[in-house]
Amino acid sequence: MSQSGLGKSTLVNTLFKSQVSRKSSGWNREEKIPKTVEIKAIGHVIEEGGVKMKLTVIDTPGFGDQINNENCWEPIEKYINEQYEKFLKEEVNIARKKRIPDTRVHCCLYFISPTGHSLRPLDLEFMKHLSKVVNIIPVIAKADTMTLEEKTEFKQRVRKELEVNGIEFYPQKEFDEDLEDKTENDKIRQESMPFAVVGSDKEYQVNGKRILGRKTPWGVIEVENLNHCEFALLRDFVIRTHLQDLKEVTHNIHYETYRAKRLNDNGGLPPVTTETEENHESNL
Amino acid sequence: TSAGGFFKNKLCETGVFTDHEKQYVGFATLPNQVHRKSVKKGFDFTLMVAGESGLGKSTLVNSLFLTDLYKDRKLLNAEERISQTVEILKHTVDIEEKGVKLKLTIVDTPGFGDAVNNTECWKPITDYIDQQFEQYFRDESGLNRKNIQDNRVHCCLYFISPFGHGLRPVDVEFMKALHEKVNIVPLIAKADCLIPSEIRKLKERIREEIDKFGIKVYQFPDCDSDEDEEFKQQDRELKESAPFAVIGSNTVVEAKGQRVRGRLYPWGIVEVENQAHCDFVKLRNMLIRTHMHDLKDVTCDVHYENYRAQCIQQMTSKLTQDNRIESPIPILPLPTPDAETEKLIKMKDEELRRMQEMLQKMQQQMQDQ
């Protein structure tokens, strides 16, 4: 999630070491910025070590690009809630499937523009609204535009602003299960995040190794070099250590919150698929 | 000018007029005289910078003029920015180099493009530019024109984000609102986050879009056909590099044994004045060393004259509408005169009245006779 041009597609490709973003799915990047926020979901099946994963990448072209961006997060909030609704319907079905198809959004990477100053008003508005319905992981995009000093200062300022504005990004403090979790997550929350990343789908030869990077006239930026940027930290965090937890928090917390609210609105009864129900759904 | 130069050198060398030189009148020294007077008077230049916050505008201005104009600036945080409106801030600094004085005014536009809803966020800026034109117009039409202060904006550096894929809607709207009021020089900001192929693509894209949307950015004038090939080559390169991809820096780093303005990254050092790294030198040369005067000329001869013509036209049409006067000659708005001028005007009015009275009396007497 971000304004256009902050490297979302490239980063996702880099994360999953395969062409999984809209950019590589033939959508012409050179086309105009859409006038309204669009939601484009593309599913892929990737495999590693015998483990198959169905990965769905949801992109939101048009977000934050207009002159007037008021409420541009609404279509996104709507989409997320629609997925919860779909799951809920399936769950309360009498003859429900054994494995309910899960289209819920487990993680939202929010890209912050590396201005070096602070968050933008749009960033605050978006994260305030959406941290209540989905796991948000803020990421500083195109971090190769900041020196080490600037990066450290910027991260501190962003963390402070998020705290002051009561924005709970993933991993949320209140969901730490035990002391071990808390210690590990505290360190991530207070020191590492937001991860300052650089993405690239081009390979270069550095010191005899082929690495993903960006070649500038003054040097090669190595994406997976921790001295250069925190891409590797983000990748390990999202994929190697917290992938399952992201799904669990989505299911046990965000989804349950949605479900409880829906049941409450319906007088404690599960929603029934009737004519009126269909109308109700469209009002969400 | 080459003839003048020849004679000038001769004068300097011998200090005495030869027979040959007695044949010439001597006005070839005019350029020198103008030069001396200009240097005594000093120069002034007003530069506006516009673009979203965080694009390195302040750093670039400091790098261009080797100043430190923003020492006490307090940056707003995101929450404070939610209710911020676009402001116009002026910093004036007097700088001197080799005896030449420059009064430099930087007009800053904090808040532009930062809000969630940026509809018409350029209005305070167009209003400001119009106000300076209006002020000049009044001064020019006034009674005392000795010390007119020229606060008109001579050039607007517009910073385009390097993080986009070209111009954003707000960029297009801003430039279209201003291209007939001020010389716009678009720049690609923070260009050190782009690799050379990305810069090329972005420049191409921006040029295409500027064409497509009919935006009239400042055009570098063509050089004279009698210039040497090297100069022509430089001029070509300048035009082909637009929009300039720039980097600024307030810090000095050590690169290859030299201390230069730059940015130190873990993967290398970006040198602001290295032409292989960015177009900063091209921008500085263009803005300060070669085109500063042309920028002022175009402001005076084109943008201001447009404004003035429009103003007069509006006044004329208003007057003919009011049916107060049928002549097409426009009545210039008199500026609010100062106290002394008012006194003068009152005195003159009194005199006129007395003379009219006398005339009437005389006419009466003649009739009576």
Side-chain angles (χ1 to χ4, degrees), chain B residues 303-346:
Chain B
H303 300 298
Y304 172 68
E305 287 300 314
N306 276 345
Y307 173 84
R308 186 174 168 276
Q310 269 176 23
C311 240
I312 293 176
Q313 215 175 39
Q314 274 173 11
M315 284 192 292
T316 316
S317 63
K318 190 162 179 283
L319 286 172
T320 49
Q321 262 176 25
D322 292 352
N323 274 330
R324 251 189 287 158
I325 197 168
E326 286 188 8
S327 144
I329 300 168
I331 295 177
L332 295 172
L334 283 181
T336 34
D338 56 12
E340 206 182 289
T341 322
E342 277 214 53
K343 232 172 55 184
L344 259 167
I345 295 175
K346 271 214 182 90

Short mmCIF file of all heavy atoms in Angstrom, two decimals, chain B residues 303-346:
data_model
loop_
_atom_site.label_atom_id
_atom_site.label_comp_id
_atom_site.label_asym_id
_atom_site.label_seq_id
_atom_site.Cartn_x
_atom_site.Cartn_y
_atom_site.Cartn_z
N HIS B 303 6.13 37.69 -18.67
CA HIS B 303 5.14 37.42 -17.62
C HIS B 303 4.52 38.69 -17.08
O HIS B 303 3.30 38.79 -16.94
CB HIS B 303 5.78 36.61 -16.49
CG HIS B 303 6.33 35.29 -16.94
ND1 HIS B 303 5.53 34.32 -17.48
CD2 HIS B 303 7.58 34.79 -16.93
CE1 HIS B 303 6.28 33.27 -17.79
NE2 HIS B 303 7.52 33.53 -17.48
N TYR B 304 5.36 39.67 -16.77
CA TYR B 304 4.83 40.90 -16.20
C TYR B 304 3.99 41.65 -17.22
O TYR B 304 2.91 42.17 -16.90
CB TYR B 304 5.95 41.79 -15.67
CG TYR B 304 5.48 43.15 -15.26
CD1 TYR B 304 4.65 43.31 -14.15
CD2 TYR B 304 5.82 44.28 -15.99
CE1 TYR B 304 4.17 44.56 -13.79
CE2 TYR B 304 5.35 45.53 -15.63
CZ TYR B 304 4.53 45.67 -14.53
OH TYR B 304 4.05 46.90 -14.17
N GLU B 305 4.48 41.71 -18.45
CA GLU B 305 3.74 42.42 -19.48
C GLU B 305 2.38 41.77 -19.71
O GLU B 305 1.38 42.45 -19.93
CB GLU B 305 4.53 42.49 -20.79
CG GLU B 305 5.71 43.46 -20.72
CD GLU B 305 5.29 44.89 -20.43
OE1 GLU B 305 4.33 45.38 -21.04
OE2 GLU B 305 5.92 45.52 -19.54
N ASN B 306 2.33 40.43 -19.68
CA ASN B 306 1.05 39.72 -19.79
C ASN B 306 0.10 40.17 -18.70
O ASN B 306 -1.06 40.47 -18.94
CB ASN B 306 1.27 38.20 -19.63
CG ASN B 306 1.68 37.56 -20.92
OD1 ASN B 306 1.55 38.16 -21.98
ND2 ASN B 306 2.18 36.34 -20.83
N TYR B 307 0.65 40.20 -17.47
CA TYR B 307 -0.17 40.59 -16.33
C TYR B 307 -0.69 42.00 -16.51
O TYR B 307 -1.87 42.27 -16.34
CB TYR B 307 0.66 40.49 -15.05
CG TYR B 307 -0.07 41.04 -13.85
CD1 TYR B 307 -0.97 40.26 -13.15
CD2 TYR B 307 0.12 42.37 -13.45
CE1 TYR B 307 -1.66 40.77 -12.06
CE2 TYR B 307 -0.57 42.88 -12.37
CZ TYR B 307 -1.45 42.08 -11.69
OH TYR B 307 -2.15 42.60 -10.63
N ARG B 308 0.22 42.88 -16.91
CA ARG B 308 -0.14 44.29 -17.06
C ARG B 308 -1.20 44.45 -18.13
O ARG B 308 -2.21 45.16 -17.95
CB ARG B 308 1.12 45.07 -17.42
CG ARG B 308 0.95 46.56 -17.47
CD ARG B 308 2.32 47.24 -17.68
NE ARG B 308 2.11 48.63 -18.00
CZ ARG B 308 1.85 49.08 -19.21
NH1 ARG B 308 1.77 48.24 -20.21
NH2 ARG B 308 1.65 50.37 -19.42
N ALA B 309 -1.01 43.78 -19.27
CA ALA B 309 -1.99 43.87 -20.36
C ALA B 309 -3.35 43.38 -19.90
O ALA B 309 -4.37 44.00 -20.16
CB ALA B 309 -1.49 43.07 -21.55
N GLN B 310 -3.34 42.26 -19.19
CA GLN B 310 -4.61 41.71 -18.70
C GLN B 310 -5.29 42.70 -17.78
O GLN B 310 -6.48 42.93 -17.86
CB GLN B 310 -4.36 40.43 -17.91
CG GLN B 310 -4.41 39.18 -18.73
CD GLN B 310 -4.05 37.97 -17.90
OE1 GLN B 310 -4.17 37.99 -16.67
NE2 GLN B 310 -3.59 36.94 -18.54
N CYS B 311 -4.48 43.28 -16.88
CA CYS B 311 -5.00 44.24 -15.90
C CYS B 311 -5.67 45.40 -16.61
O CYS B 311 -6.79 45.77 -16.29
CB CYS B 311 -3.85 44.79 -15.07
SG CYS B 311 -4.04 44.44 -13.35
N ILE B 312 -4.94 45.97 -17.57
CA ILE B 312 -5.45 47.15 -18.27
C ILE B 312 -6.72 46.78 -19.03
O ILE B 312 -7.70 47.51 -19.02
CB ILE B 312 -4.37 47.71 -19.23
CG1 ILE B 312 -3.21 48.26 -18.40
CG2 ILE B 312 -4.96 48.80 -20.11
CD1 ILE B 312 -2.05 48.76 -19.22
N GLN B 313 -6.69 45.63 -19.66
CA GLN B 313 -7.86 45.17 -20.40
C GLN B 313 -9.07 45.05 -19.49
O GLN B 313 -10.16 45.49 -19.82
CB GLN B 313 -7.56 43.81 -21.01
CG GLN B 313 -8.19 43.61 -22.36
CD GLN B 313 -7.74 42.29 -22.95
OE1 GLN B 313 -7.63 41.30 -22.22
NE2 GLN B 313 -7.49 42.27 -24.23
N GLN B 314 -8.83 44.48 -18.32
CA GLN B 314 -9.93 44.31 -17.38
C GLN B 314 -10.50 45.66 -16.98
O GLN B 314 -11.69 45.87 -16.91
CB GLN B 314 -9.46 43.59 -16.12
CG GLN B 314 -9.50 42.09 -16.27
CD GLN B 314 -8.87 41.40 -15.06
OE1 GLN B 314 -8.59 42.05 -14.05
NE2 GLN B 314 -8.65 40.13 -15.17
N MET B 315 -9.58 46.60 -16.69
CA MET B 315 -10.01 47.93 -16.27
C MET B 315 -10.80 48.61 -17.38
O MET B 315 -11.83 49.21 -17.14
CB MET B 315 -8.81 48.79 -15.90
CG MET B 315 -8.23 48.43 -14.57
SD MET B 315 -7.07 49.67 -14.04
CE MET B 315 -5.77 49.44 -15.23
N THR B 316 -10.29 48.48 -18.61
CA THR B 316 -10.97 49.11 -19.74
C THR B 316 -12.37 48.55 -19.89
O THR B 316 -13.34 49.29 -20.01
CB THR B 316 -10.21 48.84 -21.05
OG1 THR B 316 -8.83 49.03 -20.83
CG2 THR B 316 -10.71 49.78 -22.13
N SER B 317 -12.46 47.24 -19.87
CA SER B 317 -13.77 46.64 -20.08
C SER B 317 -14.71 47.02 -18.95
O SER B 317 -15.89 47.24 -19.15
CB SER B 317 -13.67 45.13 -20.21
OG SER B 317 -13.18 44.58 -19.01
N LYS B 318 -14.16 47.13 -17.74
CA LYS B 318 -15.00 47.51 -16.60
C LYS B 318 -15.51 48.93 -16.79
O LYS B 318 -16.67 49.23 -16.57
CB LYS B 318 -14.19 47.40 -15.31
CG LYS B 318 -15.02 47.54 -14.05
CD LYS B 318 -14.27 47.00 -12.82
CE LYS B 318 -15.09 47.17 -11.56
NZ LYS B 318 -15.06 48.56 -11.08
N LEU B 319 -14.62 49.82 -17.22
CA LEU B 319 -15.01 51.22 -17.38
C LEU B 319 -16.04 51.38 -18.48
O LEU B 319 -17.02 52.10 -18.32
CB LEU B 319 -13.79 52.08 -17.70
CG LEU B 319 -12.86 52.32 -16.50
CD1 LEU B 319 -11.59 53.00 -16.95
CD2 LEU B 319 -13.58 53.17 -15.47
N THR B 320 -15.81 50.70 -19.62
CA THR B 320 -16.79 50.85 -20.70
C THR B 320 -18.12 50.25 -20.27
O THR B 320 -19.18 50.71 -20.66
CB THR B 320 -16.30 50.18 -22.00
OG1 THR B 320 -15.85 48.87 -21.69
CG2 THR B 320 -15.16 50.96 -22.61
N GLN B 321 -18.04 49.23 -19.42
CA GLN B 321 -19.28 48.65 -18.90
C GLN B 321 -20.03 49.68 -18.05
O GLN B 321 -21.21 49.85 -18.14
CB GLN B 321 -18.96 47.44 -18.01
CG GLN B 321 -19.11 46.12 -18.73
CD GLN B 321 -18.69 44.96 -17.84
OE1 GLN B 321 -18.73 45.07 -16.61
NE2 GLN B 321 -18.29 43.87 -18.44
N ASP B 322 -19.26 50.38 -17.20
CA ASP B 322 -19.88 51.37 -16.31
C ASP B 322 -20.36 52.59 -17.06
O ASP B 322 -21.01 53.45 -16.49
CB ASP B 322 -18.88 51.81 -15.23
CG ASP B 322 -18.57 50.66 -14.26
OD1 ASP B 322 -19.25 49.64 -14.35
OD2 ASP B 322 -17.64 50.82 -13.44
N ASN B 323 -19.97 52.68 -18.34
CA ASN B 323 -20.36 53.82 -19.18
C ASN B 323 -19.87 55.15 -18.65
O ASN B 323 -20.45 56.19 -18.93
CB ASN B 323 -21.90 53.89 -19.30
CG ASN B 323 -22.36 53.00 -20.44
OD1 ASN B 323 -21.64 52.82 -21.41
ND2 ASN B 323 -23.55 52.48 -20.33
N ARG B 324 -18.81 55.10 -17.85
CA ARG B 324 -18.33 56.36 -17.29
C ARG B 324 -17.47 57.11 -18.30
O ARG B 324 -17.36 58.31 -18.29
CB ARG B 324 -17.52 56.11 -16.02
CG ARG B 324 -18.30 56.56 -14.78
CD ARG B 324 -17.48 56.52 -13.56
NE ARG B 324 -17.26 55.15 -13.12
CZ ARG B 324 -16.26 54.79 -12.34
NH1 ARG B 324 -15.39 55.67 -11.95
NH2 ARG B 324 -16.13 53.53 -11.98
N ILE B 325 -16.82 56.35 -19.14
CA ILE B 325 -15.96 57.00 -20.12
C ILE B 325 -16.02 56.21 -21.41
O ILE B 325 -16.08 54.98 -21.38
CB ILE B 325 -14.51 57.09 -19.59
CG1 ILE B 325 -13.71 58.11 -20.40
CG2 ILE B 325 -13.81 55.75 -19.68
CD1 ILE B 325 -12.39 58.45 -19.76
N GLU B 326 -16.04 56.90 -22.51
CA GLU B 326 -16.16 56.19 -23.76
C GLU B 326 -14.84 55.99 -24.46
O GLU B 326 -14.69 55.17 -25.33
CB GLU B 326 -17.14 56.92 -24.68
CG GLU B 326 -18.56 56.68 -24.19
CD GLU B 326 -19.58 57.23 -25.17
OE1 GLU B 326 -19.18 57.65 -26.29
OE2 GLU B 326 -20.77 57.23 -24.81
N SER B 327 -13.89 56.81 -24.06
CA SER B 327 -12.59 56.69 -24.70
C SER B 327 -11.93 55.37 -24.32
O SER B 327 -12.05 54.92 -23.19
CB SER B 327 -11.72 57.87 -24.27
OG SER B 327 -10.39 57.46 -24.13
N PRO B 328 -11.23 54.74 -25.26
CA PRO B 328 -10.59 53.48 -24.95
C PRO B 328 -9.32 53.63 -24.13
O PRO B 328 -8.72 52.67 -23.72
CB PRO B 328 -10.25 52.91 -26.34
CG PRO B 328 -10.09 54.11 -27.19
CD PRO B 328 -11.03 55.15 -26.67
N ILE B 329 -8.92 54.90 -23.89
CA ILE B 329 -7.69 55.10 -23.12
C ILE B 329 -7.96 54.71 -21.67
O ILE B 329 -8.84 55.26 -21.03
CB ILE B 329 -7.22 56.57 -23.17
CG1 ILE B 329 -6.97 56.97 -24.62
CG2 ILE B 329 -5.96 56.75 -22.36
CD1 ILE B 329 -6.78 58.45 -24.81
N PRO B 330 -7.20 53.77 -21.17
CA PRO B 330 -7.48 53.34 -19.80
C PRO B 330 -6.98 54.33 -18.78
O PRO B 330 -5.99 55.00 -18.98
CB PRO B 330 -6.68 52.04 -19.68
CG PRO B 330 -5.55 52.22 -20.63
CD PRO B 330 -6.04 53.09 -21.75
N ILE B 331 -7.74 54.45 -17.71
CA ILE B 331 -7.29 55.29 -16.61
C ILE B 331 -6.53 54.39 -15.65
O ILE B 331 -7.08 53.42 -15.15
CB ILE B 331 -8.49 55.93 -15.88
CG1 ILE B 331 -9.21 56.88 -16.83
CG2 ILE B 331 -8.03 56.68 -14.64
CD1 ILE B 331 -10.44 57.50 -16.22
N LEU B 332 -5.30 54.73 -15.41
CA LEU B 332 -4.51 53.90 -14.51
C LEU B 332 -4.96 54.11 -13.08
O LEU B 332 -5.31 55.21 -12.70
CB LEU B 332 -3.03 54.26 -14.64
CG LEU B 332 -2.42 53.97 -16.00
CD1 LEU B 332 -1.02 54.53 -16.07
CD2 LEU B 332 -2.41 52.48 -16.26
N PRO B 333 -4.93 53.04 -12.31
CA PRO B 333 -5.33 53.22 -10.91
C PRO B 333 -4.24 53.99 -10.20
O PRO B 333 -3.07 53.64 -10.28
CB PRO B 333 -5.40 51.78 -10.37
CG PRO B 333 -4.43 51.03 -11.22
CD PRO B 333 -4.39 51.71 -12.56
N LEU B 334 -4.61 55.05 -9.54
CA LEU B 334 -3.60 55.79 -8.82
C LEU B 334 -3.28 55.06 -7.52
O LEU B 334 -4.19 54.62 -6.83
CB LEU B 334 -4.11 57.20 -8.49
CG LEU B 334 -4.10 58.19 -9.66
CD1 LEU B 334 -4.62 59.55 -9.19
CD2 LEU B 334 -2.68 58.35 -10.21
N PRO B 335 -2.04 54.92 -7.24
CA PRO B 335 -1.70 54.25 -5.98
C PRO B 335 -2.05 55.17 -4.81
O PRO B 335 -2.14 56.37 -4.97
CB PRO B 335 -0.18 54.08 -6.08
CG PRO B 335 0.26 55.16 -6.98
CD PRO B 335 -0.85 55.44 -7.94
N THR B 336 -2.29 54.57 -3.65
CA THR B 336 -2.56 55.42 -2.47
C THR B 336 -1.32 56.24 -2.19
O THR B 336 -0.27 55.70 -1.84
CB THR B 336 -2.89 54.56 -1.24
OG1 THR B 336 -2.09 53.37 -1.34
CG2 THR B 336 -4.35 54.19 -1.20
N PRO B 337 -1.40 57.54 -2.37
CA PRO B 337 -0.20 58.37 -2.24
C PRO B 337 0.20 58.52 -0.78
O PRO B 337 -0.63 58.44 0.11
CB PRO B 337 -0.64 59.71 -2.84
CG PRO B 337 -2.14 59.70 -2.77
CD PRO B 337 -2.61 58.31 -2.65
N ASP B 338 1.46 58.81 -0.56
CA ASP B 338 1.90 59.01 0.81
C ASP B 338 1.54 60.43 1.25
O ASP B 338 1.07 61.25 0.46
CB ASP B 338 3.41 58.76 0.95
CG ASP B 338 4.20 59.62 -0.01
OD1 ASP B 338 3.62 60.56 -0.61
OD2 ASP B 338 5.40 59.33 -0.18
N ALA B 339 1.78 60.69 2.51
CA ALA B 339 1.30 61.94 3.10
C ALA B 339 1.79 63.18 2.36
O ALA B 339 1.04 64.10 2.08
CB ALA B 339 1.72 62.00 4.57
N GLU B 340 3.09 63.16 1.99
CA GLU B 340 3.65 64.34 1.34
C GLU B 340 3.01 64.57 -0.02
O GLU B 340 2.63 65.69 -0.38
CB GLU B 340 5.16 64.17 1.19
CG GLU B 340 5.89 65.49 1.14
CD GLU B 340 7.38 65.27 0.95
OE1 GLU B 340 8.01 64.79 1.91
OE2 GLU B 340 7.86 65.55 -0.15
N THR B 341 2.89 63.46 -0.77
CA THR B 341 2.28 63.57 -2.09
C THR B 341 0.85 64.06 -1.96
O THR B 341 0.37 64.86 -2.76
CB THR B 341 2.30 62.21 -2.78
OG1 THR B 341 3.52 61.55 -2.49
CG2 THR B 341 2.16 62.36 -4.29
N GLU B 342 0.15 63.58 -0.95
CA GLU B 342 -1.23 64.02 -0.74
C GLU B 342 -1.29 65.51 -0.53
O GLU B 342 -2.16 66.20 -1.07
CB GLU B 342 -1.82 63.29 0.47
CG GLU B 342 -2.37 61.91 0.12
CD GLU B 342 -3.59 61.54 0.93
OE1 GLU B 342 -4.55 62.37 0.92
OE2 GLU B 342 -3.58 60.48 1.56
N LYS B 343 -0.34 66.01 0.27
CA LYS B 343 -0.30 67.46 0.52
C LYS B 343 -0.12 68.22 -0.79
O LYS B 343 -0.83 69.18 -1.08
CB LYS B 343 0.87 67.77 1.48
CG LYS B 343 0.43 68.59 2.68
CD LYS B 343 1.44 68.80 3.77
CE LYS B 343 2.74 69.40 3.33
NZ LYS B 343 3.70 69.47 4.47
N LEU B 344 0.84 67.74 -1.57
CA LEU B 344 1.11 68.34 -2.87
C LEU B 344 -0.14 68.37 -3.72
O LEU B 344 -0.49 69.39 -4.32
CB LEU B 344 2.19 67.52 -3.59
CG LEU B 344 3.63 68.07 -3.57
CD1 LEU B 344 4.59 67.00 -4.03
CD2 LEU B 344 3.75 69.31 -4.42
N ILE B 345 -0.81 67.21 -3.77
CA ILE B 345 -2.02 67.12 -4.59
C ILE B 345 -3.07 68.12 -4.10
O ILE B 345 -3.70 68.81 -4.90
CB ILE B 345 -2.59 65.69 -4.56
CG1 ILE B 345 -1.61 64.71 -5.23
CG2 ILE B 345 -3.93 65.62 -5.27
CD1 ILE B 345 -2.02 63.28 -5.16
N LYS B 346 -3.22 68.19 -2.78
CA LYS B 346 -4.20 69.13 -2.22
C LYS B 346 -3.88 70.56 -2.63
O LYS B 346 -4.75 71.32 -3.04
CB LYS B 346 -4.21 69.03 -0.68
CG LYS B 346 -5.16 68.01 -0.12
CD LYS B 346 -5.75 68.47 1.23
CE LYS B 346 -6.68 67.41 1.79
NZ LYS B 346 -5.97 66.46 2.66
#
